[in-house]
Amino acid sequence: MSATIRNGQIEVVAVTKTYHPGAPPAVDNLDLRIDHGSYCCLLGPSGCGKTTILRMIAGHETPTEGDILIGGRNVTNLPPVERGTAMMFQSYALFPHRSVLDNVAFALKMRGVSRADRNARARELLQKVHLEAFANRLPAQLSGGQQQRVALARALITNPRVLLLDEPLSALDEYLRLRMRGELRRVQRELGITFIHVTHTQLEAIAVADTVVVMAQGKIEQAASARDIFLAPRNAYVTRFIGGQNVISGAVERVSGATATAVTGTGARIELPVAELRVQPGEQIFGSLRRDRIRVRRQDAGPPPRDLINALSGEVHAIENQGSYVKVTIDAGDGEEFVANVLDEDFFLDPIDIGGRVVATWAARDVRLLEDRRSQPSGAVVAAA
Amino acid sequence: MRTASGKRPWTFYMLAAFFTLFVLFLYGPMTVIYVLSFQGPNGGLTFPMNGFSTQWFNELVQPGRSGDIAGSFRRSLLLAAIVTVLTVLICVAAGLGFRRRFRGAAVLFYLVIASLVMPGIFVGLGISLGFQLMDMQTDWLVSGLGAQLTWTLPFGLLVMFAVIGRFNRSYEEAARDLGASAWQRMREVTLPILLPGIIGVGLFGFTLSYDEFARTVLTAGSENTLPLEIWAMTTNVTSPALFAVGTVTTVISFFVIVIGLGSIALIQRRRGHNVASH
């Protein structure tokens, strides 16, 4: 095959998909580019359009508007078999009436390859996923993890340039899920083809992907490297959805240099880096704050320390031991979830109980400004300003 | 079910008694017929048994003695076979077709189902009148076949809906993804996966046709199917040969059902549905 055919670069150009006229589109004027040979995760809550995108790339769904390009060629109206893609279905869709070997060899049988040739190739692939001993079994006789590997072998037998995976790990138990996601990443590296993986699990996306695309309501909220998605979410939606950071917000009180001081809904003062951005006093601005960079201490009797900056006081709402750290959820009284991930050794030096009053403090450098803005000053802002 | 003290509530005994009565009512009369069909040569239509013989079965195969049992049996089997094949072909095609929500699908569906609600005897009457109007002779292979299809097709379609309702369409998508053409998908994936259900549709078609009376009685023409022949016998045959017919037809129905359900069970077992998945 020539180099151009092997190119698994995906371009989604201004694609809209509407299922019912008048209803909001499942995918809304979306643009996306995925480099050849990269591992991309489409991440979002159910109904955000991520599976629709995947199915349109696979050719199982036609865009209402817009184009899909693979390797520079417009494939919008091509059937799946002419796209050089292969799809791994949610819960695998292994044919229940065919043996593992026949399942894997199916695509070659459809292409008219002789029985001996296709079986030899299928055995080769089964060997790769360590299932050669199960060739004559039926899918129902395999465990969930084995079924997943059969599905992978079946999809790879045509040497696709793009592998599309629809929630590939959701049918597995936790232990297998963690093992198989590492396995998927390894296979992708080995083959050097493009993987597009749909999931609603944040940590799964960040663990396997080069690029994570966070979606909501048919649109892309952010497309960035896994590290950036986690460390530098663009807006409050992505920050809340990924969950590694808290969203803090306040009305701008004053700006000095690159730092704005804002007053939160509960009257605490926080600093946010605004760089060259012009912000108006009274404007509501938002920031993300890393949960693992927050210190939590007991609040001594008496009123909360109003004069402290970059601090927040509240009641401990929940405590979850995560092994290497403890997740402390603090109810600060403004409705926004505020979580501090406290290192286990620090936490257990002086354990805090649910209902205890605490003060959380952080350094201004661990806060990043989010794109969200609200110019309308709220009642609390007017009072503070 | 037991209460905490281990004693069964009084409703258990009530329902158990009711169920026993039901089973007696269901199988009692049939059992009497099976026993009486082995009545001795000088025995009558009722108990007591006057010896034991198989002479009434012999009488069935000799034409003339008690109507044309052998001929009507052959006709009924042939008719049921044709009805089965047509029911399977039409219902599978219709069931697959109804998966697309085309315009007027609901109206079409109710049109088909409506013939289940109409009294069968009037369906038969209507068909025979229609044949008269067109100056055609009613015949079991023509008007009789049509009349039976008005009964088996809606039933078969309902069964097919249930079968297809459980069919996961991602099998077809996977096949398409792997390069199967529409015909290859149908042959290699859809039909084999639906096969147990399709056998069920055929089984329905066969037993409904083999037993059919109301729609057939006015449309069979000059030659009788088996149920019509038996009906005629009840009025003019006064020997236990009547019971022998009952025993023979029961055995045949039983074998058809065993073969049908047995093949479904075999297919399911081959697919490993009984094997633990972990």
Side-chain angles (χ1 to χ4, degrees):
Chain A
M1 273 184 224
S2 69
T4 48
I5 301 257
R6 294 299 308 159
N7 188 346
Q9 178 190 283
I10 310 268
E11 279 167 280
V12 175
V13 185
V15 164
T16 296
K17 176 70 185 181
T18 314
Y19 284 105
H20 306 289
V27 170
D28 192 359
N29 192 23
L30 187 137
D31 289 289
L32 175 65
R33 216 188 96 155
I34 300 164
D35 289 334
H36 169 67
S38 71
Y39 198 127
C40 172
C41 266
L42 302 180
L43 174 67
S46 52
C48 72
K50 57 190 192 296
T51 300
T52 306
I53 291 272
L54 192 79
R55 292 172 54 79
M56 286 192 290
I57 296 171
H60 294 301
E61 212 78 75
T62 317
T64 314
E65 278 167 57
D67 289 308
I68 307 239
L69 281 72
I70 301 177
R73 181 170 171 229
N74 193 331
V75 298
T76 314
N77 295 310
L78 291 184
V81 66
E82 288 174 45
R83 295 184 177 213
T85 58
M87 184 149 166
M88 218 174 101
F89 288 79
Q90 191 173 12
S91 68
Y92 319 131
L94 296 175
F95 306 131
H97 58 298
R98 291 178 172 278
S99 69
V100 165
L101 188 71
D102 285 350
N103 260 285
V104 176
F106 188 84
L108 297 184
K109 185 179 182 194
M110 296 304 105
R111 284 161 174 74
V113 177
S114 77
R115 173 177 283 273
D117 288 352
R118 63 177 193 250
N119 282 356
R121 176 84 182 109
R123 276 184 203 286
E124 224 172 87
L125 272 159
L126 281 176
Q127 214 154 22
K128 242 180 214 165
V129 294
H130 310 295
L131 284 175
E132 61 272 36
F134 297 85
N136 296 319
R137 298 258 190 116
L138 287 165
Q141 295 168 312
L142 302 184
S143 72
Q146 290 166 336
Q147 287 180 17
Q148 200 239 21
R149 274 143 63 201
V150 175
L152 186 64
R154 185 176 73 171
L156 291 176
I157 199 159
T158 54
N159 295 318
R161 50 183 162 162
V162 180
L163 184 67
L164 304 157
L165 307 103
D166 187 7
E167 306 256 5
L169 305 171
S170 62
L172 303 177
D173 62 42
E174 185 68 14
Y175 170 76
L176 269 174
R177 198 166 21 238
L178 296 184
R179 242 186 48 192
M180 289 313 295
R181 75 184 190 198
E183 188 70 5
L184 284 178
R185 178 74 213 196
R186 193 184 60 77
V187 171
Q188 189 267 337
R189 266 292 126 85
E190 211 177 279
L191 297 172
I193 64 174
T194 311
F195 269 41
I196 306 179
H197 171 148
V198 160
T199 178
H200 58 255
T201 312
Q202 298 86 340
L203 290 178
E204 184 175 308
I206 286 168
V208 294
D210 297 313
T211 309
V212 176
V213 178
V214 180
M215 291 186 59
Q217 292 167 343
K219 286 179 183 292
I220 292 176
E221 289 290 333
Q222 187 171 5
S225 73
R227 187 169 158 78
D228 277 355
I229 284 280
F230 191 79
L231 293 182
R234 219 179 75 184
N235 55 30
Y237 176 85
V238 177
T239 310
R240 291 188 187 113
F241 188 70
I242 297 297
Q245 307 203 40
N246 295 319
V247 175
I248 54 178
S249 67
V252 175
E253 194 179 46
R254 63 189 148 76
V255 180
S256 65
T259 306
T261 307
V263 181
T264 70
T266 55
R269 278 187 171 67
I270 56 175
E271 287 175 322
L272 292 147
V274 289
E276 284 98 60
L277 218 72
R278 282 184 55 83
V279 289
Q280 302 296 324
E283 198 179 354
Q284 184 91 356
I285 56 174
F286 293 77
S288 63
L289 164 63
R290 280 181 62 165
R291 288 178 171 175
D292 55 342
R293 299 286 168 85
I294 301 167
R295 285 170 303 280
V296 178
R297 61 171 169 81
R298 281 172 203 283
Q299 183 184 315
D300 304 322
R306 285 263 164 182
D307 50 334
L308 273 177
I309 200 154
N310 295 331
L312 177 147
S313 72
E315 196 171 280
V316 175
H317 182 67
I319 290 176
E320 278 175 62
N321 189 348
Q322 305 279 336
S324 58
Y325 66 92
V326 178
K327 185 177 163 190
V328 181
T329 308
I330 300 167
D331 181 5
D334 61 354
E336 179 80 44
E337 187 184 43
F338 189 91
V339 175
N341 292 343
V342 183
L343 215 59
D344 61 322
E345 53 209 53
D346 294 344
F347 181 88
F348 289 109
L349 273 182
D350 181 17
I352 308 162
D353 210 353
I354 291 172
R357 287 204 69 82
V358 292
V359 176
T361 57
W362 61 90
R365 62 170 184 277
D366 293 321
V367 178
R368 293 179 47 91
L369 187 71
L370 298 174
E371 281 177 7
D372 309 72
R373 255 322 154 280
R374 217 175 296 142
S375 52
Q376 214 76 355
S378 68
V381 175
V382 177
Chain B
M1 219 185 82
R2 283 161 191 274
T3 56
S5 61
K7 259 183 69 176
R8 286 179 163 135
W10 63 272
T11 47
F12 172 85
Y13 297 99
M14 287 280 296
L15 290 170
F18 183 76
F19 183 70
T20 312
L21 276 177
F22 170 73
V23 169
L24 277 176
F25 187 77
L26 189 64
Y27 294 109
M30 293 305 296
T31 314
V32 170
I33 284 177
Y34 304 146
V35 173
L36 284 177
S37 64
F38 292 97
Q39 182 71 281
N42 302 317
L45 280 169
T46 51
F47 283 114
M49 292 287 280
N50 196 347
F52 178 89
S53 78
T54 53
Q55 103 158 49
W56 308 110
F57 292 91
N58 287 330
E59 212 163 288
L60 291 184
V61 284
Q62 290 158 13
R65 299 272 320 252
S66 23
D68 184 15
I69 283 294
S72 65
F73 175 61
R74 251 194 334 270
R75 282 190 285 278
S76 263
L77 273 189
L78 179 62
L79 185 58
I82 297 171
V83 167
T84 303
V85 170
L86 288 177
T87 304
V88 165
L89 285 179
I90 296 170
C91 290
V92 169
L96 293 173
F98 265 107
R99 294 195 297 177
R100 297 192 181 192
R101 289 196 195 84
F102 53 90
R103 272 174 80 92
V107 175
L108 196 61
F109 173 69
Y110 289 122
L111 264 178
V112 172
I113 297 304
S115 87
L116 285 181
V117 188
M118 283 189 276
I121 192 91
F122 286 105
V123 173
L125 182 61
I127 291 171
S128 79
L129 283 177
F131 269 64
Q132 256 177 40
L133 277 175
M134 293 186 291
D135 215 16
M136 288 165 72
Q137 284 287 315
T138 49
D139 185 280
W140 60 277
L141 253 180
V142 184
S143 48
L145 174 65
Q148 293 201 342
L149 287 176
T150 67
W151 182 229
T152 61
L153 288 183
F155 253 111
L157 189 63
L158 285 180
V159 175
M160 206 54 211
F161 277 177
V163 169
I164 286 178
R166 281 179 305 172
F167 177 72
N168 184 350
R169 291 206 82 165
S170 60
Y171 291 131
E172 286 175 317
E173 278 189 343
R176 183 161 177 258
D177 204 75
L178 295 165
S181 64
W183 171 238
Q184 284 174 320
R185 281 204 295 283
M186 181 64 67
R187 201 187 56 208
E188 304 275 345
V189 175
T190 314
L191 289 181
I193 293 177
L194 292 179
L195 187 62
I198 293 173
I199 293 174
V201 172
L203 207 56
F204 251 99
F206 188 90
T207 51
L208 287 179
S209 161
Y210 186 68
D211 271 355
E212 219 299 319
F213 183 82
R215 285 164 178 76
T216 321
V217 66
L218 293 173
T219 54
S222 52
E223 289 176 306
N224 278 345
T225 60
L226 190 60
L228 303 183
E229 192 67 28
I230 295 171
W231 179 248
M233 282 175 75
T234 56
T235 51
N236 54 35
V237 175
T238 48
S239 74
L242 187 61
F243 299 143
V245 176
T247 305
V248 170
T249 53
T250 304
V251 167
I252 288 164
S253 293
F254 182 77
F255 272 111
V256 169
I257 290 172
V258 164
I259 290 168
L261 293 183
S263 52
I264 292 174
L266 194 73
I267 293 167
Q268 304 280 33
R269 237 224 345 246
R270 277 238 202 98
R271 292 182 193 173
H273 282 250
N274 296 330
V275 181
S277 59
H278 277 279

